Amino acid sequence: MKDRNVLNKFNWTYIVVDEGHRMKNSKSKFTQTLGQTFSSQHRLLLTGTPLQNNLAELWSLLNFLVPKIFNSVDEFDRWFNQPLKQKQLHEETRLNEEETLVIINMMHQVLRPFLLRRIKKEVESELPEKTEHVLKVELSNW
């Protein structure tokens, strides 16, 4: 955040955000700075936190990744929330299991191109052995 005035002058090829769940609040200074101030060809969020809280937080993550497609939280809300609200208002019933599964499947289809889920035990065997290098540096006179 302190170096944003210098760093935002570059057109980055990649922006990779570790602890990507910090981008869930679209109103946070961090999210706004990275999402709107910095330009890049590709963006990647790394997180171990499941995406399960609410649609606004999910939209915030997708907006960072692909702002041209996910440019409006209201439109995103209409895609997924409005049909549910209208159905509940008109019929005054809860969604049955089949309707819930249809909605979940629709959400999965939207998210699938943006997710790569890997579990540590699945990839541990692919990781190289850790190596340790000890570098000794003499103290300066100062």
Side-chain angles (χ1 to χ4, degrees), residues 39-57:
S39 62
S40 67
Q41 294 174 13
H42 308 283
R43 294 177 176 198
L44 179 67
L45 293 175
L46 304 174
T47 183
T49 303
L51 307 175
Q52 62 188 14
N53 291 339
N54 62 47
L55 286 176
E57 289 180 359

Side-chain angles (χ1 to χ4, degrees), residues 55 73-90 95 103 106:
L55 286 176
V73 69
D74 295 329
E75 187 175 322
F76 191 75
D77 186 60
R78 271 193 300 271
W79 288 352
F80 298 105
N81 247 355
Q82 292 301 329
L84 301 177
K85 289 178 183 174
Q86 289 172 355
K87 179 171 179 46
Q88 290 176 346
L89 287 175
H90 292 302
L95 294 173
I103 292 165
M106 184 174 73

Side-chain angles (χ1 to χ4, degrees), residues 38-129:
F38 289 80
S39 62
S40 67
Q41 294 174 13
H42 308 283
R43 294 177 176 198
L44 179 67
L45 293 175
L46 304 174
T47 183
T49 303
L51 307 175
Q52 62 188 14
N53 291 339
N54 62 47
L55 286 176
E57 289 180 359
L58 177 58
W59 173 83
S60 180
L61 298 174
L62 292 171
N63 174 257
F64 171 74
L65 293 172
V66 194
K68 290 179 182 175
I69 295 174
F70 299 101
N71 57 0
S72 168
V73 69
D74 295 329
E75 187 175 322
F76 191 75
D77 186 60
R78 271 193 300 271
W79 288 352
F80 298 105
N81 247 355
Q82 292 301 329
L84 301 177
K85 289 178 183 174
Q86 289 172 355
K87 179 171 179 46
Q88 290 176 346
L89 287 175
H90 292 302
E91 298 179 13
E92 303 215 2
T93 59
R94 291 169 111 10
L95 294 173
N96 65 35
E97 188 176 338
E98 183 180 333
E99 291 167 324
T100 303
L101 289 174
V102 167
I103 292 165
I104 291 170
N105 187 38
M106 184 174 73
M107 182 68 82
H108 283 183
Q109 287 177 355
V110 169
L111 294 177
R112 191 166 288 122
F114 303 101
L115 295 175
L116 171 62
R117 180 165 183 188
R118 300 180 76 185
I119 298 172
K120 186 176 179 179
K121 69 179 183 179
E122 293 174 354
V123 296
E124 259 180 334
S125 62
E126 299 173 23
L127 296 174
E129 291 295 319

Side-chain angles (χ1 to χ4, degrees), residues 126-141:
E126 299 173 23
L127 296 174
E129 291 295 319
K130 289 185 180 181
T131 58
E132 184 176 325
H133 300 280
V134 178
L135 300 175
K136 296 187 179 191
V137 179
E138 304 260 343
L139 291 175
S140 67
N141 291 333

